[in-house]
């Protein structure tokens, strides 16, 4: 089934039109002080729905509508929430500009922003019990401040912490139950 990610492509164009100033690499650890993380984050990132906690929907990057292009790709499910975008992050063994999206039934995909290639897919355990049912998760993923993990929800009421590098669950205390009334 063919799904359109036109909004994601538009975000690529907007995000890709920032300044040419050199960027500071993002810290590898979330234990870095918040000021350092904020300084390291690129102004091209869109790590949360609405860009940041204030939901301003604005980045420092400029936009050039002449650079917009449509990309059609097939994904395993329906992406029915907002994509997030991270510029220049290590994913699948290389540095990529990447979109992360979640489908109705909780599959999370990292997509190469340059051409839409799927870099990794996370399928939550138990998906076969709710796939095709009315039990859905309409939730946008979120990136952690250190740009190493993404958080995503599944229809069973769990929030998963996934490595941005390979889509694997972080383990430890993850996943975390958000609700018992999924």
């Amino acid at each position: 089934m063919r799904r359109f990610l036109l909004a994601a492509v538009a975000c690529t164009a907007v995000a890709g039109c920032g300044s040419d100033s050199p960027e500071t690499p993002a810290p590898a650890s979330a234990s870095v002080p918040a000021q350092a993380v904020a300084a390291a984050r690129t102004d091209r990132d869109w790590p949360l729905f609405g860009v940041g906690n204030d939901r301003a929907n604005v980045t420092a990057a400029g936009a050039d509508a002449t650079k917009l292009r449509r990309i059609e790709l097939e994904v395993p499910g329906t992406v029915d929430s907002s994509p997030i975008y991270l510029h220049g992050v290590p994913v699948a063994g290389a540095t990529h500009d990447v979109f992360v999206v979640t489908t109705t039934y909780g599959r999370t995909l990292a997509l190469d922003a340059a051409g839409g290639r799927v870099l990794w897919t996370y399928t939550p355990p138990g998906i076969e019990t709710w796939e095709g049912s009315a039990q859905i998760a309409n939730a946008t993923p979120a990136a952690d401040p250190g740009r190493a993990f993404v958080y995503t929800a599944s229809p069973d009421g769990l929030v998963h912490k996934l490595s941005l590098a390979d889509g694997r669950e972080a383990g430890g205390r993850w996943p975390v139950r958000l609700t018992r009334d999924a």
Side-chain angles (χ1 to χ4, degrees):
M1 179 176 280
R2 202 165 269 219
R3 303 289 174 217
F4 298 97
L5 293 176
L6 189 55
V9 175
C11 289
T12 300
V14 170
C17 298
S19 69
D20 290 328
S21 62
E23 296 170 17
T24 306
S29 169
S31 65
V32 175
Q35 299 88 348
V37 171
R41 186 181 306 126
T42 171
D43 65 354
R44 298 177 188 182
D45 284 358
W46 193 292
L48 302 168
F49 173 76
V51 180
N53 291 333
D54 63 356
R55 303 286 189 256
N57 292 309
V58 177
T59 67
D64 182 353
T66 63
K67 294 185 179 181
L68 293 176
R69 63 187 175 98
R70 182 182 181 122
I71 299 174
E72 294 181 25
L73 57 137
E74 292 186 28
V75 296
T78 301
V79 176
D80 61 353
S81 62
S82 299
I84 62 170
Y85 173 82
L86 298 170
H87 172 73
V89 290
V91 181
T95 300
H96 294 271
D97 294 342
V98 65
F99 286 107
V100 181
V101 298
T102 300
T103 68
T104 303
Y105 296 111
R107 274 192 186 89
T108 300
L109 299 94
L111 305 168
D112 179 66
R117 183 171 60 94
V118 176
L119 300 171
W120 56 254
T121 302
Y122 170 78
T123 303
I127 193 171
E128 64 281 349
T129 63
W130 62 79
E131 196 166 34
S133 75
Q135 187 174 346
I136 65 170
N138 184 261
T140 296
D144 83 303
R147 303 169 76 224
F149 296 95
V150 293
Y151 299 88
T152 185
S154 56
D156 57 356
L158 297 175
V159 175
H160 305 270
K161 181 179 181 181
L162 308 178
S163 166
L164 186 58
D166 59 16
R168 292 189 181 142
E169 186 121 42
R173 303 180 97 180
W174 296 93
V176 173
R177 180 155 305 280
L178 185 63
T179 180
R180 295 199 184 280
D181 189 18

